[in-house]
């Protein structure tokens, strides 16, 4: 099994998270509290540095109150 | 940071993968070759036992020739 290369989904998720936070006027700290995830971790996801799993993606979606699949869709 | 609980996305992804394989008449082995991922790993994803990351989700979607976000959508 080869190492999985960075996928373009990282940038799509990062962009959607930044857009949703901006629309709501939320800081990363506020989002972190809504999701129950670490702020440093979420910051890395927003810089496309973290390869987020679907369990954490679900928490982010729940925090924003959106459907998970919308986070993977390029606007 | 709490441990992330199993999300309902695992079952959605698992179901979509099984459906897409069935529609194409593909074995797990065939899918594994198309994705460049390990068959044992994909089998665990299809049993909702693996918390797949977006980089691997992308490879699965590429293997099937579908958009990644469709794998997170309940039919």
């Amino acid at each position: 099994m080869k190492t999985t290369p960075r996928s373009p989904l990282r940038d799509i998720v990062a962009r959607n998270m930044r857009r949703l936070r901006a629309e709501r006027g939320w800081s990363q700290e506020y989002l972190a509290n809504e999701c129950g995830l670490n702020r440093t971790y979420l910051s890395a996801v927003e810089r496309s540095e973290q390869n987020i799993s679907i369990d954490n993606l679900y928490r982010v979606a729940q925090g924003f109150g959106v459907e998970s699949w919308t986070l993977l869709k390029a606007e």
Side-chain angles (χ1 to χ4, degrees), chain A:
Chain A
M1 183 155 72
K2 284 168 279 178
T3 308
T4 295
R6 247 171 196 260
S7 76
L9 291 181
R10 292 199 194 189
D11 289 341
I12 294 172
V13 169
R15 207 154 35 224
N16 282 325
M17 286 175 62
R18 283 185 263 112
R19 178 181 49 78
L20 287 163
R21 278 201 306 105
E23 282 170 11
R24 288 159 171 74
W26 289 3
S27 64
Q28 289 183 335
E29 189 67 41
Y30 189 91
L31 174 63
N33 286 331
E34 290 299 303
C35 303
L37 292 170
N38 190 282
R39 190 199 65 75
T40 310
Y41 170 76
L42 288 178
S43 168
V45 175
E46 287 196 1
R47 289 193 311 273
S48 306
E49 281 167 14
Q50 276 280 348
N51 179 20
I52 193 171
S53 70
I54 58 172
D55 286 352
N56 280 338
L57 192 78
Y58 180 78
R59 290 180 83 143
V60 170
Q62 291 282 104
F64 280 126
V66 300
E67 294 232 56
S68 305
W69 61 268
T70 63
L71 295 174
L72 295 194
K73 226 180 157 185
E75 287 287 291

